[in-house]
């Protein structure tokens, strides 16, 4: 499976935008980029996914580089409830549906 | 609607005991996954069911781990002769049907069962 690289941790202030980067230089043409997050003491939850074009939903935006070797999850206005571990995951090829999690980025939001 | 539920939420076992962890997926979800999450790590895949068929068990760490989903709904993960290294959070996830959406299909996770082996 193609690997992703994320910073171990990031910090933000409440109501400010947050940009969470992810590098995936070995991504293949059929790999989708998925983001999940895990709040404390909960199971992971889906945030957003995309293939080539930028994507928006009610939770976040996903910006994908033109060469697809990196992507950025954007939280437009961080709240205290957004404090979580964010995982960038590639899905495709022979991995069918199983998710391969890395270490993720621990996001701390300050009031 | 009801999400994925898991029971028990917490389990303390003495080394050598057998444990059974239950997962109730979202009604109608065909695909079911089990993951293991050690402290401070991301979840790791254990096994996958499509209805009652266990299609991938490549992530099960040893033959002490056994999973079943006999009627294609509720699933049980059983660990025999528990060891201290089995201490972890065990997560269950379900999704509608991988056969139609494949790698775009969203997985819905339960809250997990935290297992502590003493």
């Amino acid at each position: 499976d193609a690997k992703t690289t994320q910073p171990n941790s990031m910090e933000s202030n409440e109501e400010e935008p947050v940009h969470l980067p992810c590098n995936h230089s070995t991504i293949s043409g059929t790999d989708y980029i998925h983001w999940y997050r895990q709040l404390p003491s909960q199971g992971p939850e889906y945030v957003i996914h995309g293939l080539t074009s930028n994507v928006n939903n009610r939770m976040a935006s996903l910006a994908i580089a033109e060469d697809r070797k990196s992507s950025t999850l954007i939280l437009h206005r961080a709240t205290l409830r957004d404090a979580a571990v964010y995982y960038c995951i590639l899905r495709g090829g022979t991995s069918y549906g199983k998710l391969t999690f890395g270490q993720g980025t621990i996001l701390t939001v300050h009031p | 609607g009801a999400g994925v539920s898991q029971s028990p939420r917490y389990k303390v076992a003495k080394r050598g005991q057998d444990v059974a962890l239950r997962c109730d997926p979202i009604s109608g979800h065909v695909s079911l996954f089990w993951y293991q999450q050690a402290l401070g790590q991301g979840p790791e895949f254990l096994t996958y069911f499509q209805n009652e068929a266990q299609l991938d068990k490549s992530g099960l760490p040893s033959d002490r781990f056994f999973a079943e989903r006999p009627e294609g709904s509720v699933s049980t993960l059983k660990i025999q002769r528990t060891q201290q290294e089995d201490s972890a959070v065990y997560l269950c996830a379900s999704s509608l049907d991988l056969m139609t959406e494949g790698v775009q299909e969203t997985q819905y996770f339960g809250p997990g069962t935290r297992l502590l082996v003493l």
Side-chain angles (χ1 to χ4, degrees):
Chain A
D1 290 333
K3 192 175 178 179
T4 62
T5 305
Q6 300 177 250
N8 289 333
S9 63
M10 292 187 66
E11 298 188 15
S12 174
N13 293 319
E14 204 175 6
E15 298 192 4
E16 290 184 355
V18 181
H19 290 231
L20 297 165
C22 180
N23 287 321
H24 29 77
S25 59
T26 60
I27 191 171
S28 75
T30 57
D31 284 341
Y32 282 82
I33 302 158
H34 286 247
W35 284 81
Y36 280 72
R37 72 179 185 182
Q38 187 171 23
L39 278 64
S41 301
Q42 295 188 28
E45 65 174 347
Y46 168 82
V47 178
I48 199 166
H49 78 279
L51 183 62
T52 55
S53 302
N54 294 344
V55 184
N56 300 296
N57 67 20
R58 63 175 182 80
M59 290 181 70
S61 295
L62 176 60
I64 301 173
E66 197 167 332
D67 63 6
R68 301 212 323 127
K69 294 185 176 182
S70 66
S71 60
T72 303
L73 179 70
I74 303 166
L75 306 179
H76 295 285
R77 291 180 70 228
T79 70
L80 297 178
R81 285 199 69 254
D82 291 322
V85 181
Y86 286 79
Y87 297 99
C88 171
I89 299 167
L90 301 183
R91 295 178 73 184
T94 60
S95 69
Y96 59 90
K98 69 179 179 182
L99 297 173
T100 302
F101 292 83
Q103 292 282 79
T105 297
I106 301 171
L107 176 65
T108 301
V109 180
H110 299 289
Chain B
V4 177
S5 61
Q6 294 186 245
S7 61
R9 291 294 312 278
Y10 303 92
K11 177 70 178 177
V12 179
K14 291 184 180 178
R15 191 173 58 177
Q17 279 186 330
D18 297 349
V19 298
L21 313 180
R22 177 187 169 109
C23 172
D24 284 80
I26 294 173
S27 177
H29 277 197
V30 170
S31 301
L32 186 145
F33 299 81
W34 284 97
Y35 295 85
Q36 179 190 57
Q37 185 171 25
L39 191 64
Q41 305 295 315
E44 291 193 358
F45 169 79
L46 292 177
T47 188
Y48 158 61
F49 289 87
Q50 183 84 352
N51 294 305
E52 69 278 3
Q54 188 175 19
L55 299 186
D56 187 348
K57 52 183 181 180
S58 63
L60 296 176
S62 77
D63 58 7
R64 296 186 296 104
F65 286 71
F66 173 76
E68 61 183 5
R69 194 185 184 198
E71 298 179 358
S73 177
V74 171
S75 178
T76 303
L77 177 67
K78 298 180 180 178
I79 309 173
Q80 297 176 326
R81 305 181 303 281
T82 53
Q83 304 294 316
Q84 286 186 322
E85 61 263 27
D86 299 335
S87 296
V89 175
Y90 291 85
L91 295 161
C92 175
S94 70
S95 64
L96 193 58
D97 188 353
L98 288 182
M99 300 307 292
T100 55
E101 293 295 328
V103 293
Q104 295 197 69
E105 188 63 49
T106 297
Q107 289 188 21
Y108 298 87
F109 284 79
T113 294
R114 184 175 297 275
L115 173 65
L116 177 63
V117 181
L118 301 176

